[in-house]
Amino acid sequence: MNDTEQRIKEALGLLAERTPHPGPTLNALRRKRKRQRNNIFLIATAGVAAVAVLIFAGVVASDRYAPPNPNDAGAALVVEQPSRLPLKYSPHWLPEGYVEVYRGLLDGERAYVPAGAQGYPFTDGGPLTRIFKSKAKPDTAGWDEISVRGLRAWVQTRQGQSAGLTAEVVWDAQDWLHVTVRGTSDVKQTAMQVAESVRTDAKVENRPLFTLDGQEATEVWGSSPGDWGAQFKKDPLVIQVSTRSPGLTGGAPVTVRGKQGVQIDGAVAVLDGSVWVTVRGAAPLEQLVKTANDVQLASSPDTNWIGKGI
């Protein structure tokens, strides 16, 4: 038995000696109702002593734990915490086969495309359904006035990015809500049906995929839980974390995050575990490297929602 274990044993023995015998407590419980206050006191005394033993044991035992060195790779990971930019709204109806591929956390945007399609914003005009919120009413001059769940709303169809028409619905709920639909046979009807299905959803949880100086990634996209990217803009820099290589070919080697990365005009990138950390922008190389070093990655990326329907 070493010195530490001996001290633990002695300390626990001393506390045990000071702990009241349970006999008086049990006897007190059998006494008349008028002595109920004394009963409570005795029970509390016994409980506090027991808790003290457990706390002391835990404190001594924790003395054996050494926190990770700030230079360790583990220090670059963040404990998963709820997003400070929570998603607030969810559609409860979508065109058949549509899955979620994008979240823009600043305006609560959620985008859905047919399963297997490239994730928005890489659809290049393909089928898309998305919802988002805004603080102010957009200009709806010339739009048709309708209602969404009994609320005043507006709808328009226009020639948009895709080959066919794009429909937009706007209505005033707790926020100004927007639904955009393209790539269906009747975009107006689809947009109105999606809008009718939108509800506030407190169950939607979002955990940051990475943080930088306490601020989290504000955009996340992908085609599957294992194929994703996340982005955060901090003027003049754009910080990305992705499972895909940024494709910076022909660059010079540079040390980033304690590993060999690559630098090219206005960008540095490094493969850290299973993800690429990339920083781009009009800044000196030293600032690009420092920013990449300061990125904190989630230990268990929350990407299970990517590629899933409602």
Side-chain angles (χ1 to χ4, degrees):
M1 180 181 296
N2 58 38
D3 292 342
T4 300
E5 292 171 337
Q6 181 62 36
R7 287 198 298 271
I8 295 173
K9 181 178 179 181
E10 292 172 356
L12 292 176
L14 181 60
L15 285 172
E17 291 174 2
R18 296 177 178 176
T19 302
H21 190 278
T25 301
L26 295 174
N27 291 335
L29 290 174
R30 300 187 184 100
R31 291 173 187 166
K32 295 180 180 180
R33 184 179 299 272
K34 66 181 179 180
R35 302 192 63 183
Q36 187 173 5
R37 289 186 179 180
N38 291 335
N39 296 348
I40 296 174
F41 175 78
L42 289 170
I43 294 170
T45 302
V48 168
V51 171
V53 172
L54 294 174
I55 292 175
F56 181 81
V59 168
V60 175
S62 68
D63 202 35
R64 298 182 178 184
Y65 171 74
N69 187 294
N71 294 322
D72 290 346
L77 302 177
V78 295
V79 177
E80 275 65 88
Q81 297 290 338
S83 169
R84 288 183 293 179
L85 302 170
L87 294 166
K88 187 175 179 180
Y89 299 96
S90 298
H92 289 260
W93 182 88
L94 291 170
E96 185 175 356
Y98 275 53
V99 296
E100 189 170 10
V101 292
Y102 176 87
R103 289 180 175 180
L105 300 174
L106 292 178
D107 56 6
E109 181 176 355
R110 305 178 70 176
Y112 304 81
V113 300
Q118 287 296 309
Y120 175 84
F122 310 114
T123 52
D124 192 25
L128 169 71
T129 293
R130 68 177 182 137
I131 67 170
F132 63 98
K133 60 185 175 67
S134 65
K135 294 181 180 179
K137 179 180 180 292
D139 182 6
T140 57
W143 293 32
D144 296 330
E145 188 169 330
I146 57 171
S147 68
V148 171
R149 299 181 61 207
L151 300 173
R152 193 179 183 191
W154 295 261
V155 63
Q156 74 157 351
T157 56
R158 58 179 174 80
Q159 184 61 54
Q161 185 180 5
S162 61
L165 294 174
T166 294
E168 296 180 75
V169 176
V170 175
W171 72 104
D172 186 13
Q174 295 178 17
D175 302 278
W176 282 99
L177 298 181
H178 304 242
V179 165
T180 300
V181 171
R182 68 182 187 224
T184 64
S185 58
D186 188 338
V187 291
K188 181 177 179 180
Q189 179 60 35
T190 301
M192 292 173 62
Q193 194 165 346
V194 172
E196 288 281 352
S197 78
V198 172
R199 303 286 190 277
T200 56
D201 195 342
K203 295 181 180 180
V204 179
E205 295 182 351
N206 185 69
R207 297 190 299 274
L209 296 183
F210 73 86
T211 61
L212 176 64
D213 298 332
Q215 296 178 291
E216 65 189 81
T218 54
E219 293 180 89
V220 184
W221 60 85
S223 58
S224 70
D227 180 13
W228 57 268
Q231 179 172 282
F232 171 66
K233 295 179 181 179
K234 185 177 182 180
D235 191 50
L237 305 177
V238 176
I239 301 92
Q240 287 188 345
V241 173
S242 176
T243 56
R244 295 190 181 190
S245 168
L248 299 182
T249 58
V254 63
T255 300
V256 185
R257 300 175 70 82
K259 304 171 178 61
Q260 181 172 311
V262 62
Q263 62 160 308
I264 201 166
D265 291 343
V268 298
V270 64
L271 181 62
D272 190 344
S274 61
V275 297
W276 284 88
V277 178
T278 305
V279 180
R280 308 173 189 267
L285 175 62
E286 293 77 9
Q287 184 177 349
L288 297 176
V289 171
K290 180 182 184 306
T291 300
N293 289 341
D294 290 343
V295 169
Q296 292 186 301
L297 304 174
S299 58
S300 301
D302 176 25
T303 58
N304 288 331
W305 56 270
I306 299 176
K308 289 187 177 180
I310 56 176

